[in-house]
Amino acid sequence: MRAVQENSLQEIVRQEDGCLEYAYYAAVADAEKILLVEKWASEEQQQTHLRQLKQWKEQYIAETAVEKI
């Protein structure tokens, strides 16, 4: 979480084309776990975002679970 904050990742992503919402929330019981809520104008724009951040996520994120709501 510290790396996300130090690198201003949240602000960088929020400026990407098609980003409607991008927010991190820390788990109360485990500060190493975060919930990421993101909303994109289109699936294509989200996929572009995911490709751009792949290397960064591989470095800092141990595992992810994706749910669409």
Side-chain angles (χ1 to χ4, degrees), residues 1-2 4-8 15 20 22 24-25 30 33-36 43-46 48-49 51 55 61 66-67:
M1 187 67 163
R2 183 180 6 216
V4 169
Q5 293 169 333
E6 289 173 355
N7 291 297
S8 302
Q15 294 176 27
L20 303 175
Y22 199 81
Y24 287 93
Y25 302 92
D30 184 350
K33 292 184 179 181
I34 59 172
L35 169 66
L36 168 61
E43 180 77 21
E44 182 180 317
Q45 290 165 316
Q46 183 186 31
T48 298
H49 158 73
R51 285 190 298 274
Q55 181 180 4
I61 307 298
V66 177
E67 292 183 32

